[in-house]
Amino acid sequence: MSGHFEHIPGGGAAVALDGVEISIIRSLAVQLLELIGPGPAADTAADPLAELFAEGPSEPPSDPVLRRLFPDAYGDPERAPGSPAEAEERLAHSAEFRRYTENDLRAGKRENALAVIRSLDALSPVDESGGVLKLSPEESRYWLGALNDLRLAIGARLEITDEDDADLLYRLPDEDPRKPMVMAYLWLGGLQETLVTTLMP
């Protein structure tokens, strides 16, 4: 079980993690939370209807990681618009869509990262070196979302845009300062892949 998720009775998943792995995942999840930002202020009125129509930002984030986590919904970034009018229309649609969806997207990503932190904090260690993390089907879905976000974030920092970029990074020499981040990217990808497999019917 070490290093990958396995299916457990009841539809959940389990993985053996050592102390270092637990520390890395928790640290990355905390960093992701800090990057996404806090939720609504504690003094915000608990009016579900007001929250539903609360407006978010209309401009794309300046941070490349946040741009990867919250991409524009309209238009193909690889294709240049056919005319200035088309470009303006694409920007207007993207801004409108972002204004009404980004707050919810941020809340969902925040919830996924918090679920990862909580499940790791509740992990009963087998010994000093780690333990076996057991997730319910619902917790597995939170983890899947968080693992995806963590890989997107690391991929953005490494400037991975396609498989060719990833292949080049995999062959980096050990002394390259990006190597630990690449190894984390690969390891999280393996965890994500095996967790997907456990959730398949």
mmCIF file of all heavy atoms in Angstrom, residues 3-8 11-15 116 133-148 187-201:
data_model
loop_
_atom_site.group_PDB
_atom_site.id
_atom_site.type_symbol
_atom_site.label_atom_id
_atom_site.label_comp_id
_atom_site.label_asym_id
_atom_site.label_seq_id
_atom_site.Cartn_x
_atom_site.Cartn_y
_atom_site.Cartn_z
ATOM 1 N N GLY A 3 2.843 4.336 -0.766
ATOM 2 C CA GLY A 3 3.056 5.138 -1.965
ATOM 3 C C GLY A 3 1.890 5.209 -2.914
ATOM 4 O O GLY A 3 1.939 5.962 -3.870
ATOM 5 N N HIS A 4 0.859 4.419 -2.690
ATOM 6 C CA HIS A 4 -0.300 4.528 -3.566
ATOM 7 C C HIS A 4 -1.574 4.141 -2.818
ATOM 8 O O HIS A 4 -1.542 3.373 -1.871
ATOM 9 C CB HIS A 4 -0.112 3.669 -4.823
ATOM 10 C CG HIS A 4 0.007 2.200 -4.544
ATOM 11 N ND1 HIS A 4 1.203 1.595 -4.243
ATOM 12 C CD2 HIS A 4 -0.936 1.223 -4.508
ATOM 13 C CE1 HIS A 4 1.002 0.301 -4.045
ATOM 14 N NE2 HIS A 4 -0.281 0.055 -4.190
ATOM 15 N N PHE A 5 -2.687 4.713 -3.283
ATOM 16 C CA PHE A 5 -3.986 4.427 -2.681
ATOM 17 C C PHE A 5 -4.489 3.062 -3.112
ATOM 18 O O PHE A 5 -4.253 2.631 -4.248
ATOM 19 C CB PHE A 5 -5.015 5.488 -3.089
ATOM 20 C CG PHE A 5 -4.918 6.767 -2.309
ATOM 21 C CD1 PHE A 5 -4.222 7.855 -2.810
ATOM 22 C CD2 PHE A 5 -5.527 6.891 -1.062
ATOM 23 C CE1 PHE A 5 -4.143 9.046 -2.101
ATOM 24 C CE2 PHE A 5 -5.453 8.070 -0.340
ATOM 25 C CZ PHE A 5 -4.758 9.151 -0.854
ATOM 26 N N GLU A 6 -5.208 2.417 -2.206
ATOM 27 C CA GLU A 6 -5.878 1.161 -2.515
ATOM 28 C C GLU A 6 -7.316 1.245 -2.041
ATOM 29 O O GLU A 6 -7.634 1.956 -1.078
ATOM 30 C CB GLU A 6 -5.166 -0.011 -1.832
ATOM 31 C CG GLU A 6 -3.790 -0.294 -2.395
ATOM 32 C CD GLU A 6 -3.131 -1.497 -1.744
ATOM 33 O OE1 GLU A 6 -3.783 -2.166 -0.915
ATOM 34 O OE2 GLU A 6 -1.959 -1.761 -2.069
ATOM 35 N N HIS A 7 -8.172 0.508 -2.738
ATOM 36 C CA HIS A 7 -9.590 0.464 -2.380
ATOM 37 C C HIS A 7 -9.759 -0.257 -1.048
ATOM 38 O O HIS A 7 -9.067 -1.225 -0.768
ATOM 39 C CB HIS A 7 -10.358 -0.270 -3.483
ATOM 40 C CG HIS A 7 -11.823 -0.368 -3.226
ATOM 41 N ND1 HIS A 7 -12.691 0.680 -3.472
ATOM 42 C CD2 HIS A 7 -12.570 -1.373 -2.710
ATOM 43 C CE1 HIS A 7 -13.915 0.304 -3.135
ATOM 44 N NE2 HIS A 7 -13.864 -0.925 -2.679
ATOM 45 N N ILE A 8 -10.691 0.240 -0.234
ATOM 46 C CA ILE A 8 -11.029 -0.451 1.010
ATOM 47 C C ILE A 8 -12.527 -0.692 1.031
ATOM 48 O O ILE A 8 -13.293 -0.011 0.344
ATOM 49 C CB ILE A 8 -10.583 0.352 2.260
ATOM 50 C CG1 ILE A 8 -11.190 1.754 2.284
ATOM 51 C CG2 ILE A 8 -9.071 0.405 2.359
ATOM 52 C CD1 ILE A 8 -10.874 2.541 3.560
ATOM 53 N N GLY A 11 -16.114 1.473 -0.070
ATOM 54 C CA GLY A 11 -15.933 2.451 -1.143
ATOM 55 C C GLY A 11 -14.897 3.512 -0.882
ATOM 56 O O GLY A 11 -14.731 4.421 -1.686
ATOM 57 N N GLY A 12 -14.168 3.408 0.214
ATOM 58 C CA GLY A 12 -13.153 4.403 0.504
ATOM 59 C C GLY A 12 -11.795 4.024 -0.061
ATOM 60 O O GLY A 12 -11.672 3.132 -0.897
ATOM 61 N N ALA A 13 -10.767 4.709 0.407
ATOM 62 C CA ALA A 13 -9.410 4.468 -0.056
ATOM 63 C C ALA A 13 -8.454 4.598 1.113
ATOM 64 O O ALA A 13 -8.724 5.310 2.079
ATOM 65 C CB ALA A 13 -9.034 5.471 -1.150
ATOM 66 N N ALA A 14 -7.330 3.905 1.013
ATOM 67 C CA ALA A 14 -6.328 3.970 2.073
ATOM 68 C C ALA A 14 -4.944 4.039 1.446
ATOM 69 O O ALA A 14 -4.706 3.515 0.360
ATOM 70 C CB ALA A 14 -6.429 2.748 2.984
ATOM 71 N N VAL A 15 -4.028 4.713 2.168
ATOM 72 C CA VAL A 15 -2.642 4.810 1.719
ATOM 73 C C VAL A 15 -1.742 4.883 2.947
ATOM 74 O O VAL A 15 -2.102 5.515 3.947
ATOM 75 C CB VAL A 15 -2.430 6.053 0.812
ATOM 76 C CG1 VAL A 15 -2.709 7.348 1.565
ATOM 77 C CG2 VAL A 15 -1.044 6.073 0.190
ATOM 78 N N VAL A 116 -7.969 17.845 3.496
ATOM 79 C CA VAL A 116 -6.683 17.138 3.501
ATOM 80 C C VAL A 116 -5.954 17.388 4.819
ATOM 81 O O VAL A 116 -5.474 16.456 5.474
ATOM 82 C CB VAL A 116 -5.814 17.581 2.297
ATOM 83 C CG1 VAL A 116 -4.368 17.116 2.471
ATOM 84 C CG2 VAL A 116 -6.397 17.044 0.998
ATOM 85 N N LEU A 133 -3.510 6.173 6.242
ATOM 86 C CA LEU A 133 -4.616 7.118 6.086
ATOM 87 C C LEU A 133 -5.784 6.393 5.437
ATOM 88 O O LEU A 133 -5.642 5.810 4.358
ATOM 89 C CB LEU A 133 -4.177 8.286 5.205
ATOM 90 C CG LEU A 133 -5.244 9.341 4.890
ATOM 91 C CD1 LEU A 133 -5.565 10.162 6.136
ATOM 92 C CD2 LEU A 133 -4.769 10.246 3.766
ATOM 93 N N LYS A 134 -6.936 6.404 6.104
ATOM 94 C CA LYS A 134 -8.137 5.771 5.547
ATOM 95 C C LYS A 134 -9.173 6.852 5.293
ATOM 96 O O LYS A 134 -9.506 7.628 6.191
ATOM 97 C CB LYS A 134 -8.693 4.719 6.511
ATOM 98 C CG LYS A 134 -7.755 3.541 6.680
ATOM 99 C CD LYS A 134 -8.344 2.488 7.590
ATOM 100 C CE LYS A 134 -7.376 1.314 7.719
ATOM 101 N NZ LYS A 134 -7.907 0.262 8.619
ATOM 102 N N LEU A 135 -9.664 6.894 4.058
ATOM 103 C CA LEU A 135 -10.606 7.928 3.639
ATOM 104 C C LEU A 135 -11.947 7.318 3.255
ATOM 105 O O LEU A 135 -11.996 6.278 2.607
ATOM 106 C CB LEU A 135 -10.050 8.684 2.422
ATOM 107 C CG LEU A 135 -8.691 9.361 2.567
ATOM 108 C CD1 LEU A 135 -8.255 9.925 1.222
ATOM 109 C CD2 LEU A 135 -8.738 10.449 3.623
ATOM 110 N N SER A 136 -13.017 8.005 3.643
ATOM 111 C CA SER A 136 -14.349 7.627 3.179
ATOM 112 C C SER A 136 -14.472 8.028 1.710
ATOM 113 O O SER A 136 -13.637 8.783 1.192
ATOM 114 C CB SER A 136 -15.412 8.359 4.005
ATOM 115 O OG SER A 136 -15.365 9.754 3.712
ATOM 116 N N PRO A 137 -15.523 7.577 1.004
ATOM 117 C CA PRO A 137 -15.705 8.017 -0.387
ATOM 118 C C PRO A 137 -15.762 9.537 -0.518
ATOM 119 O O PRO A 137 -15.178 10.111 -1.439
ATOM 120 C CB PRO A 137 -17.032 7.359 -0.790
ATOM 121 C CG PRO A 137 -17.116 6.141 0.059
ATOM 122 C CD PRO A 137 -16.500 6.535 1.379
ATOM 123 N N GLU A 138 -16.440 10.219 0.424
ATOM 124 C CA GLU A 138 -16.534 11.679 0.357
ATOM 125 C C GLU A 138 -15.160 12.323 0.583
ATOM 126 O O GLU A 138 -14.758 13.233 -0.135
ATOM 127 C CB GLU A 138 -17.530 12.204 1.388
ATOM 128 C CG GLU A 138 -17.707 13.711 1.328
ATOM 129 C CD GLU A 138 -18.689 14.246 2.368
ATOM 130 O OE1 GLU A 138 -18.973 13.528 3.349
ATOM 131 O OE2 GLU A 138 -19.163 15.376 2.190
ATOM 132 N N GLU A 139 -14.438 11.833 1.595
ATOM 133 C CA GLU A 139 -13.101 12.363 1.851
ATOM 134 C C GLU A 139 -12.175 12.115 0.663
ATOM 135 O O GLU A 139 -11.324 12.954 0.327
ATOM 136 C CB GLU A 139 -12.505 11.704 3.100
ATOM 137 C CG GLU A 139 -13.174 12.128 4.393
ATOM 138 C CD GLU A 139 -12.730 11.276 5.569
ATOM 139 O OE1 GLU A 139 -12.466 10.071 5.377
ATOM 140 O OE2 GLU A 139 -12.643 11.817 6.686
ATOM 141 N N SER A 140 -12.354 10.989 -0.006
ATOM 142 C CA SER A 140 -11.541 10.674 -1.186
ATOM 143 C C SER A 140 -11.744 11.709 -2.274
ATOM 144 O O SER A 140 -10.791 12.105 -2.955
ATOM 145 C CB SER A 140 -11.890 9.280 -1.719
ATOM 146 O OG SER A 140 -11.575 8.276 -0.786
ATOM 147 N N ARG A 141 -12.976 12.163 -2.446
ATOM 148 C CA ARG A 141 -13.255 13.178 -3.477
ATOM 149 C C ARG A 141 -12.609 14.515 -3.116
ATOM 150 O O ARG A 141 -12.101 15.226 -3.982
ATOM 151 C CB ARG A 141 -14.760 13.312 -3.697
ATOM 152 C CG ARG A 141 -15.352 12.112 -4.464
ATOM 153 C CD ARG A 141 -16.810 12.330 -4.828
ATOM 154 N NE ARG A 141 -17.672 12.192 -3.663
ATOM 155 C CZ ARG A 141 -18.135 11.040 -3.199
ATOM 156 N NH1 ARG A 141 -17.810 9.915 -3.786
ATOM 157 N NH2 ARG A 141 -18.922 11.007 -2.154
ATOM 158 N N TYR A 142 -12.628 14.871 -1.822
ATOM 159 C CA TYR A 142 -11.934 16.093 -1.395
ATOM 160 C C TYR A 142 -10.435 15.981 -1.706
ATOM 161 O O TYR A 142 -9.813 16.907 -2.200
ATOM 162 C CB TYR A 142 -12.114 16.328 0.110
ATOM 163 C CG TYR A 142 -13.495 16.765 0.539
ATOM 164 C CD1 TYR A 142 -14.115 16.188 1.643
ATOM 165 C CD2 TYR A 142 -14.184 17.761 -0.151
ATOM 166 C CE1 TYR A 142 -15.376 16.592 2.059
ATOM 167 C CE2 TYR A 142 -15.443 18.165 0.257
ATOM 168 C CZ TYR A 142 -16.040 17.575 1.357
ATOM 169 O OH TYR A 142 -17.285 17.976 1.753
ATOM 170 N N TRP A 143 -9.880 14.830 -1.374
ATOM 171 C CA TRP A 143 -8.457 14.612 -1.621
ATOM 172 C C TRP A 143 -8.139 14.685 -3.115
ATOM 173 O O TRP A 143 -7.125 15.250 -3.510
ATOM 174 C CB TRP A 143 -8.033 13.247 -1.056
ATOM 175 C CG TRP A 143 -7.465 13.355 0.321
ATOM 176 C CD1 TRP A 143 -8.158 13.550 1.483
ATOM 177 C CD2 TRP A 143 -6.089 13.279 0.691
ATOM 178 N NE1 TRP A 143 -7.293 13.601 2.549
ATOM 179 C CE2 TRP A 143 -6.024 13.430 2.093
ATOM 180 C CE3 TRP A 143 -4.912 13.090 -0.024
ATOM 181 C CZ2 TRP A 143 -4.818 13.412 2.787
ATOM 182 C CZ3 TRP A 143 -3.712 13.065 0.661
ATOM 183 C CH2 TRP A 143 -3.668 13.230 2.056
ATOM 184 N N LEU A 144 -9.010 14.113 -3.912
ATOM 185 C CA LEU A 144 -8.776 14.123 -5.359
ATOM 186 C C LEU A 144 -8.729 15.554 -5.882
ATOM 187 O O LEU A 144 -7.849 15.920 -6.665
ATOM 188 C CB LEU A 144 -9.867 13.317 -6.071
ATOM 189 C CG LEU A 144 -9.613 12.972 -7.527
ATOM 190 C CD1 LEU A 144 -8.322 12.201 -7.712
ATOM 191 C CD2 LEU A 144 -10.782 12.173 -8.079
ATOM 192 N N GLY A 145 -9.656 16.380 -5.426
ATOM 193 C CA GLY A 145 -9.668 17.785 -5.831
ATOM 194 C C GLY A 145 -8.415 18.516 -5.373
ATOM 195 O O GLY A 145 -7.806 19.279 -6.129
ATOM 196 N N ALA A 146 -7.993 18.260 -4.129
ATOM 197 C CA ALA A 146 -6.808 18.939 -3.592
ATOM 198 C C ALA A 146 -5.530 18.480 -4.295
ATOM 199 O O ALA A 146 -4.665 19.296 -4.616
ATOM 200 C CB ALA A 146 -6.693 18.693 -2.088
ATOM 201 N N LEU A 147 -5.417 17.181 -4.559
ATOM 202 C CA LEU A 147 -4.237 16.686 -5.272
ATOM 203 C C LEU A 147 -4.148 17.300 -6.667
ATOM 204 O O LEU A 147 -3.066 17.667 -7.129
ATOM 205 C CB LEU A 147 -4.276 15.153 -5.371
ATOM 206 C CG LEU A 147 -4.000 14.386 -4.081
ATOM 207 C CD1 LEU A 147 -4.260 12.894 -4.284
ATOM 208 C CD2 LEU A 147 -2.567 14.609 -3.593
ATOM 209 N N ASN A 148 -5.295 17.416 -7.326
ATOM 210 C CA ASN A 148 -5.310 18.040 -8.651
ATOM 211 C C ASN A 148 -4.843 19.494 -8.562
ATOM 212 O O ASN A 148 -4.023 19.951 -9.369
ATOM 213 C CB ASN A 148 -6.713 17.961 -9.252
ATOM 214 C CG ASN A 148 -6.748 18.477 -10.665
ATOM 215 O OD1 ASN A 148 -6.098 17.936 -11.560
ATOM 216 N ND2 ASN A 148 -7.496 19.545 -10.897
ATOM 217 N N TRP A 187 5.291 12.538 -7.626
ATOM 218 C CA TRP A 187 4.738 11.753 -6.532
ATOM 219 C C TRP A 187 3.245 12.034 -6.349
ATOM 220 O O TRP A 187 2.430 11.112 -6.226
ATOM 221 C CB TRP A 187 5.525 12.062 -5.265
ATOM 222 C CG TRP A 187 4.970 11.447 -4.017
ATOM 223 C CD1 TRP A 187 4.741 10.119 -3.776
ATOM 224 C CD2 TRP A 187 4.571 12.136 -2.833
ATOM 225 N NE1 TRP A 187 4.235 9.942 -2.507
ATOM 226 C CE2 TRP A 187 4.124 11.165 -1.919
ATOM 227 C CE3 TRP A 187 4.577 13.475 -2.461
ATOM 228 C CZ2 TRP A 187 3.669 11.494 -0.644
ATOM 229 C CZ3 TRP A 187 4.138 13.799 -1.192
ATOM 230 C CH2 TRP A 187 3.682 12.822 -0.298
ATOM 231 N N LEU A 188 2.866 13.318 -6.366
ATOM 232 C CA LEU A 188 1.450 13.666 -6.240
ATOM 233 C C LEU A 188 0.651 13.114 -7.414
ATOM 234 O O LEU A 188 -0.506 12.711 -7.256
ATOM 235 C CB LEU A 188 1.279 15.182 -6.149
ATOM 236 C CG LEU A 188 1.819 15.844 -4.878
ATOM 237 C CD1 LEU A 188 1.750 17.366 -4.999
ATOM 238 C CD2 LEU A 188 1.064 15.377 -3.641
ATOM 239 N N GLY A 189 1.269 13.085 -8.596
ATOM 240 C CA GLY A 189 0.594 12.516 -9.759
ATOM 241 C C GLY A 189 0.307 11.038 -9.568
ATOM 242 O O GLY A 189 -0.768 10.548 -9.947
ATOM 243 N N GLY A 190 1.265 10.319 -8.976
ATOM 244 C CA GLY A 190 1.044 8.902 -8.694
ATOM 245 C C GLY A 190 -0.068 8.692 -7.680
ATOM 246 O O GLY A 190 -0.926 7.815 -7.844
ATOM 247 N N LEU A 191 -0.068 9.503 -6.630
ATOM 248 C CA LEU A 191 -1.147 9.423 -5.636
ATOM 249 C C LEU A 191 -2.499 9.699 -6.280
ATOM 250 O O LEU A 191 -3.485 8.990 -6.045
ATOM 251 C CB LEU A 191 -0.896 10.416 -4.498
ATOM 252 C CG LEU A 191 0.153 10.071 -3.460
ATOM 253 C CD1 LEU A 191 0.323 11.222 -2.474
ATOM 254 C CD2 LEU A 191 -0.187 8.787 -2.725
ATOM 255 N N GLN A 192 -2.544 10.745 -7.109
ATOM 256 C CA GLN A 192 -3.789 11.128 -7.762
ATOM 257 C C GLN A 192 -4.291 10.003 -8.667
ATOM 258 O O GLN A 192 -5.480 9.656 -8.647
ATOM 259 C CB GLN A 192 -3.563 12.399 -8.576
ATOM 260 C CG GLN A 192 -4.809 12.936 -9.253
ATOM 261 C CD GLN A 192 -4.507 14.173 -10.090
ATOM 262 O OE1 GLN A 192 -3.354 14.459 -10.417
ATOM 263 N NE2 GLN A 192 -5.534 14.908 -10.427
ATOM 264 N N GLU A 193 -3.401 9.421 -9.427
ATOM 265 C CA GLU A 193 -3.793 8.364 -10.359
ATOM 266 C C GLU A 193 -4.359 7.153 -9.628
ATOM 267 O O GLU A 193 -5.380 6.598 -10.021
ATOM 268 C CB GLU A 193 -2.584 7.956 -11.198
ATOM 269 C CG GLU A 193 -2.914 6.974 -12.302
ATOM 270 C CD GLU A 193 -1.714 6.658 -13.167
ATOM 271 O OE1 GLU A 193 -0.764 7.472 -13.223
ATOM 272 O OE2 GLU A 193 -1.714 5.578 -13.785
ATOM 273 N N THR A 194 -3.699 6.748 -8.528
ATOM 274 C CA THR A 194 -4.195 5.571 -7.809
ATOM 275 C C THR A 194 -5.490 5.887 -7.056
ATOM 276 O O THR A 194 -6.342 5.012 -6.900
ATOM 277 C CB THR A 194 -3.131 5.011 -6.836
ATOM 278 O OG1 THR A 194 -2.743 6.034 -5.898
ATOM 279 C CG2 THR A 194 -1.915 4.538 -7.611
ATOM 280 N N LEU A 195 -5.660 7.134 -6.624
ATOM 281 C CA LEU A 195 -6.903 7.508 -5.957
ATOM 282 C C LEU A 195 -8.058 7.505 -6.962
ATOM 283 O O LEU A 195 -9.165 7.046 -6.649
ATOM 284 C CB LEU A 195 -6.776 8.882 -5.294
ATOM 285 C CG LEU A 195 -7.973 9.358 -4.471
ATOM 286 C CD1 LEU A 195 -8.421 8.331 -3.446
ATOM 287 C CD2 LEU A 195 -7.670 10.701 -3.815
ATOM 288 N N VAL A 196 -7.817 7.977 -8.171
ATOM 289 C CA VAL A 196 -8.843 7.918 -9.219
ATOM 290 C C VAL A 196 -9.269 6.473 -9.426
ATOM 291 O O VAL A 196 -10.462 6.159 -9.536
ATOM 292 C CB VAL A 196 -8.321 8.527 -10.546
ATOM 293 C CG1 VAL A 196 -9.249 8.190 -11.698
ATOM 294 C CG2 VAL A 196 -8.185 10.035 -10.421
ATOM 295 N N THR A 197 -8.298 5.571 -9.477
ATOM 296 C CA THR A 197 -8.598 4.151 -9.711
ATOM 297 C C THR A 197 -9.488 3.589 -8.608
ATOM 298 O O THR A 197 -10.421 2.829 -8.883
ATOM 299 C CB THR A 197 -7.291 3.342 -9.789
ATOM 300 O OG1 THR A 197 -6.477 3.884 -10.834
ATOM 301 C CG2 THR A 197 -7.562 1.880 -10.081
ATOM 302 N N THR A 198 -9.234 3.975 -7.355
ATOM 303 C CA THR A 198 -10.055 3.456 -6.266
ATOM 304 C C THR A 198 -11.494 3.963 -6.338
ATOM 305 O O THR A 198 -12.409 3.314 -5.832
ATOM 306 C CB THR A 198 -9.484 3.838 -4.874
ATOM 307 O OG1 THR A 198 -9.629 5.246 -4.672
ATOM 308 C CG2 THR A 198 -8.051 3.418 -4.739
ATOM 309 N N LEU A 199 -11.696 5.131 -6.954
ATOM 310 C CA LEU A 199 -13.056 5.700 -7.022
ATOM 311 C C LEU A 199 -13.843 5.201 -8.228
ATOM 312 O O LEU A 199 -15.033 5.462 -8.332
ATOM 313 C CB LEU A 199 -12.959 7.231 -7.085
ATOM 314 C CG LEU A 199 -12.399 7.910 -5.838
ATOM 315 C CD1 LEU A 199 -12.255 9.404 -6.055
ATOM 316 C CD2 LEU A 199 -13.287 7.649 -4.625
ATOM 317 N N MET A 200 -13.188 4.469 -9.112
ATOM 318 C CA MET A 200 -13.896 3.950 -10.284
ATOM 319 C C MET A 200 -14.764 2.774 -9.872
ATOM 320 O O MET A 200 -14.368 1.963 -9.045
ATOM 321 C CB MET A 200 -12.896 3.521 -11.361
ATOM 322 C CG MET A 200 -12.091 4.671 -11.929
ATOM 323 S SD MET A 200 -10.759 4.116 -12.987
ATOM 324 C CE MET A 200 -11.587 4.071 -14.542
ATOM 325 N N PRO A 201 -15.993 2.695 -10.453
ATOM 326 C CA PRO A 201 -16.896 1.599 -10.076
ATOM 327 C C PRO A 201 -16.381 0.244 -10.540
ATOM 328 O O PRO A 201 -15.640 0.118 -11.465
ATOM 329 C CB PRO A 201 -18.201 1.952 -10.794
ATOM 330 C CG PRO A 201 -17.866 2.969 -11.818
ATOM 331 C CD PRO A 201 -16.575 3.604 -11.419
#
